[in-house]
Amino acid sequence: MKKVQFDSRLTPYILLLPQLAIVAIFFLWPAAEAVRSSFYLEDPFGFGSTFVGLDNFKDVFADSNYGRVVRFTGVFTFCVTFFSLAIALVLAVKADKVIHGSSAYKTLLMWVYAVAPPVAGLIGIFLFDQHVGPIVKMFKALGWDMRIGVNYNDTGFAMVVVAVWKQIPVNFIFLLSGLQGISKSVQEAAAIDCPSGFRRFWTVTFPLLAPTGFFLLIINITYALFDTFGVIDVLLKTQPGDDPITLVYKVYQDGFRGNDLGGSSAQSVILMVVVFVLTVIQFRLIERRVHYN
Amino acid sequence: MATITLDTVRKVYGGAVEAVKGVSIDIADGEFIVLVGPSGCGKSTLLRMVAGLEDITTGEIKIGDKVVNNVDPANRDIAMVFQNYALYPHMTVYNNLAYGLKNRGMAKDEIDRRVKEAARILEIGDYLDRKPRALSGGQRQRVAMGRAIVREPAAFLFDEPLSNLDAKLRVQMRVEIKRLQKSLKTTSVYVTHDQLEAMTLADRLVVLNGGNIEQIGAPIEVYDKPASTFVASFIGSPAMNLLKVKTDASGLAFETGAGLSGANPHGRDRYIAGVRPEHLDVVPAGSPEAALTLKAKVNVLEPVGAESYLYAECGDGGPEIVIRVESHAHFEPGQEIVLSAKAKDVHFFDADTGRRIDG
């Protein structure tokens, strides 16, 4: 590695300054502010705040509703990540094999990527509308009388479906390019070595796709935890009531609707810790298992 | 072990491009066949059709007695060695070798025996626990060979397996492949564009050009009696000198200008005459007329060590020809020389079709 010498010891720091400033202003400062306010009880009308120590955290954990939200967030994140990756993988494998009109096919599959989350939520509302929604009608014909916005599980189901639908194109694009990055002759060697196409997929194609897969796993978990806010908000028509919500939505709900800034900050601090732990685990796994070349 | 039979095999891409135009070859059991030709001649396509990696447009391919047109690659009982090795990057060398056997439900101890045996033959026993990325090019090539050997297939298919190796390693692996094939006696089809590789490895050569077979024969036969001007210029290095000649009252002559003499052998008006650089002798002026006598002017002398190649211009502005001379011979640019060739070393081809004229 070539070592660059600067005239002044300050020069490298000045060059780094813009990036550091962005990190400080948009991440460190708000994070510090959240940690600070998680120890205070904020006056709802902004007239002052009282230091309450860990009381906000105690309240959060004592709240039975919080446990319910945690459970739903866990299930929701798992379902969204699993199904959006699995469906995208099936589509990518099939699209990779299409020879005629493949670009039209791929473009159509990527289309949804361009849809903004609230719009996706809106489309979801139409699809799951109590009276005219085709999905509701379909399940009704199959004997499942869905009540979106009323029944806890039905609403959760609709959220998962819309969130998965929104995320499939991203996964599809990455998985398809991952598939196309696998050496053709390696796949041909496998075609000669392994009579079963199914087995060939799991023993050669899938392991070689793992680097892309692990990357997408992080992206998808983050997506399910945080970026589904818009979808959820629109589906709930901003009136959650007894409906399922995720942790991030609860932070918003308690902080900005309930005016409990302290409790909301405590929750976001907990979320920060969760994300931090998750990131460390995933990078450890990736470094250990997914490096081929 | 098995015979391989290709019966008027054609390959058409997209209904328009005909890559292979009705090729028929009978490959004997245990034979080493080399498909050779320039890029785009259809040799790789042909091999891939035998492997089952390309569909056969029309025609029939048989391995043993079985027509394999619609058989999956894995069920054709063949093993293939690829140009870029195509090793499984996520598997150890051991698993790379064992993969094809495991998938066929072979017993563990038999797999182990075969892998160890192949590793011993190819001297890769020390690397069995490594991943391919930790191996050099030559070692990877050996692993790729090992993956073919352990299968003990009816046929080996080689798709330019040596072209990614450096020159020295290539010669070494070439000798090894030959030795291995002779001891295993497995029917082999080998694709290359390197005529030296083709000559040294083949029991029989198949020279391909533009999707057609130009000639099939033992290497020396192809060298001695090239069936066409294409084969003549492709096999042998430096390439055979090909001269456009006409005939007049006195016999052979250049179409343009003087500088060539010789008897008309087949009673035709025009020919393409071919002489290999190694069959032209520099003779003193006034020597008796040979089957072909040329007058030329030296352009360049190119020493390559064991021998030298003399580039000279025939007659007045005639074609440039190459002559092999002994390594320490001395010639000056511009020097006038006389060249002669014996009757058995002069090849005549049809001036229009380029096919060999025998008789």
Side-chain angles (χ1 to χ4, degrees):
Chain A
M1 188 74 86
K2 200 175 153 192
K3 209 172 173 182
V4 181
Q5 294 289 344
F6 292 105
D7 297 339
S8 154
R9 286 172 143 263
L10 270 178
T11 317
Y13 296 101
I14 293 172
L15 292 174
L16 268 177
L17 200 62
Q19 181 64 45
L20 290 176
I22 288 171
V23 172
I25 294 170
F26 291 102
F27 178 70
L28 293 179
W29 185 23
E33 192 63 27
V35 172
R36 194 197 64 83
S37 61
S38 68
F39 295 114
Y40 284 85
L41 185 62
E42 204 93 14
D43 181 88
F45 302 103
F47 290 130
S49 52
T50 326
F51 184 79
V52 292
L54 291 172
D55 278 3
N56 283 328
F57 289 93
K58 283 179 194 152
D59 284 352
V60 166
F61 287 116
D63 181 4
S64 69
N65 196 36
Y66 190 73
R68 201 172 172 221
V69 174
V70 168
R71 267 196 305 283
F72 177 74
T73 308
V75 172
F76 177 79
T77 305
F78 174 81
C79 288
V80 170
T81 306
F82 179 80
F83 286 109
S84 61
L85 275 174
I87 296 171
L89 182 62
V90 172
L91 291 173
V93 167
K94 293 297 170 199
D96 192 35
K97 289 189 179 136
V98 172
I99 298 162
H100 298 292
S102 62
S103 63
Y105 188 69
K106 285 166 195 167
T107 310
L108 282 175
L109 278 168
M110 292 176 198
W111 211 271
V112 189
Y113 189 33
V115 178
V119 179
L122 262 178
I123 296 173
I125 286 185
F126 292 135
L127 292 174
F128 283 100
D129 185 272
Q130 201 59 55
H131 307 291
V132 295
I135 295 182
V136 173
K137 281 186 175 170
M138 182 185 83
F139 281 115
K140 198 162 199 167
L142 295 171
W144 178 11
D145 189 10
M146 290 183 101
R147 299 198 161 273
I148 308 299
V150 177
N151 181 296
Y152 185 89
N153 290 331
D154 293 358
T155 314
F157 175 79
M159 282 177 185
V160 170
V161 170
V162 177
V164 166
W165 172 68
K166 178 74 188 76
Q167 186 64 2
I168 285 173
V170 185
N171 294 342
F172 171 76
I173 294 167
F174 278 101
L175 288 172
L176 185 66
S177 76
L179 278 173
Q180 288 171 344
I182 297 175
S183 152
K184 196 160 173 277
S185 56
V186 166
Q187 286 177 317
E188 287 175 347
I192 291 172
D193 269 346
C194 184
S196 152
F198 182 76
R199 197 182 152 88
R200 200 154 64 224
F201 177 80
W202 290 110
T203 51
V204 174
T205 312
F206 191 73
L208 292 180
L209 208 53
T212 313
F214 270 99
F215 164 74
L216 284 179
L217 194 64
I218 300 179
I219 299 282
N220 279 273
I221 291 177
T222 318
Y223 163 80
L225 280 175
F226 300 99
D227 298 347
T228 47
F229 180 87
V231 169
I232 294 171
D233 192 46
V234 174
L235 266 175
L236 297 176
K237 300 175 178 138
T238 69
Q239 305 293 332
D242 190 36
D243 288 322
I245 52 173
T246 60
L247 286 169
V248 169
Y249 198 85
K250 187 166 163 58
V251 168
Y252 161 80
Q253 194 190 14
D254 290 357
F256 296 96
R257 309 298 292 277
N259 272 342
D260 177 13
L261 284 181
S264 160
S265 298
Q267 291 176 34
S268 46
V269 170
I270 295 168
L271 264 181
M272 269 195 270
V273 173
V274 168
V275 170
F276 179 75
V277 171
L278 216 59
T279 312
V280 170
I281 293 174
Q282 283 173 329
F283 274 104
R284 280 274 168 86
L285 269 178
I286 286 170
E287 277 190 7
R288 193 140 23 106
R289 301 188 46 181
V290 200
H291 274 296
Y292 298 132
N293 295 310
Chain B
M1 262 161 270
T3 58
I4 301 175
T5 315
L6 284 75
D7 185 9
T8 48
V9 171
R10 276 176 73 241
K11 176 74 190 183
V12 182
Y13 284 108
V17 186
E18 199 173 11
V20 176
K21 301 169 181 168
V23 165
S24 300
I25 312 171
D26 288 316
I27 301 169
D29 188 10
E31 195 175 20
F32 200 124
I33 284 279
V34 175
L35 307 179
V36 65
S39 320
C41 71
K43 56 189 190 299
S44 278
T45 309
L46 203 55
L47 187 80
R48 293 167 57 80
M49 284 196 280
V50 176
L53 300 172
E54 300 272 357
D55 290 333
I56 301 158
T57 309
T58 60
E60 201 174 80
I61 294 180
K62 278 203 263 184
I63 298 176
D65 299 327
K66 190 171 145 201
V67 177
V68 294
N69 282 33
N70 295 314
V71 177
D72 282 340
N75 297 323
R76 291 190 180 196
D77 198 17
I78 46 107
M80 187 154 166
V81 180
F82 293 84
Q83 177 174 354
N84 58 3
Y85 322 127
L87 301 178
Y88 309 118
H90 58 299
M91 296 183 196
T92 60
V93 168
Y94 185 97
N95 284 329
N96 261 282
L97 297 191
Y99 182 66
L101 304 176
K102 277 184 199 160
N103 292 327
R104 290 174 170 81
M106 188 178 280
K108 262 211 159 84
D109 47 345
E110 172 64 5
I111 293 179
D112 193 60
R113 190 192 64 74
R114 285 203 192 182
V115 170
K116 295 271 165 63
E117 172 67 7
R120 189 188 59 75
I121 294 172
L122 292 163
E123 295 164 18
I124 49 173
D126 295 343
Y127 321 125
L128 286 177
D129 294 332
R130 291 204 201 160
K131 294 267 178 72
R133 69 165 181 274
L135 301 178
S136 71
Q139 290 164 343
R140 287 179 202 189
Q141 186 57 63
R142 284 164 188 275
V143 176
M145 296 273 301
R147 193 167 62 182
I149 292 174
V150 291
R151 292 264 319 280
E152 299 180 5
F156 290 137
L157 307 177
F158 298 91
D159 190 4
E160 310 213 18
L162 304 183
S163 50
N164 279 5
L165 299 178
D166 62 53
K168 195 178 157 199
L169 214 50
R170 200 179 306 163
V171 174
Q172 192 188 332
M173 284 303 289
R174 194 172 77 203
V175 174
E176 217 157 305
I177 288 177
K178 178 90 175 174
R179 186 178 55 76
L180 209 61
Q181 198 269 341
K182 286 295 158 226
S183 70
L184 297 171
K185 297 189 177 61
T186 307
T187 314
S188 301
V189 185
Y190 188 108
V191 161
T192 181
H193 61 266
D194 180 340
Q195 58 98 15
L196 190 64
E197 227 170 87
M199 292 289 285
T200 50
L201 284 171
D203 291 332
R204 274 196 304 159
L205 274 183
V206 178
V207 185
L208 289 160
N209 181 29
N212 284 313
I213 293 183
E214 289 275 336
Q215 188 170 8
I216 304 183
I220 201 66
E221 206 177 295
V222 174
Y223 173 84
D224 283 343
K225 288 188 179 242
S228 65
T229 50
F230 175 82
V231 178
S233 60
F234 197 79
I235 299 293
S237 175
M240 183 185 281
N241 298 299
L242 293 171
L243 310 165
K244 280 186 180 166
V245 297
K246 61 173 185 177
T247 53
D248 54 24
S250 61
L252 299 175
F254 275 128
E255 283 187 343
T256 53
L260 178 138
S261 59
N264 182 351
H266 304 293
R268 297 197 187 186
D269 300 341
R270 285 155 63 233
Y271 299 102
I272 292 171
V275 196
R276 295 198 180 277
E278 51 270 42
H279 296 147
L280 279 169
D281 295 316
V282 182
V283 293
S287 299
E289 284 280 300
L292 200 68
T293 307
L294 290 160
K295 289 194 176 63
K297 203 162 75 187
V298 174
N299 279 342
V300 186
L301 182 68
E302 206 179 63
V304 294
E307 59 213 19
S308 295
Y309 296 107
L310 189 62
Y311 292 81
E313 196 178 289
C314 290
D316 310 318
E320 189 178 64
I321 58 168
V322 189
I323 308 112
R324 189 178 76 182
V325 294
E326 56 142 328
S327 61
H328 293 89
H330 184 77
F331 291 92
E332 287 294 331
Q335 185 181 339
E336 304 271 348
I337 51 171
V338 177
L339 303 161
S340 80
K342 297 185 188 74
K344 71 173 177 62
D345 295 328
V346 186
H347 310 263
F348 288 96
F349 302 96
D350 187 288
D352 298 316
T353 63
R355 302 305 297 179
R356 180 182 189 82
I357 303 166
D358 271 315

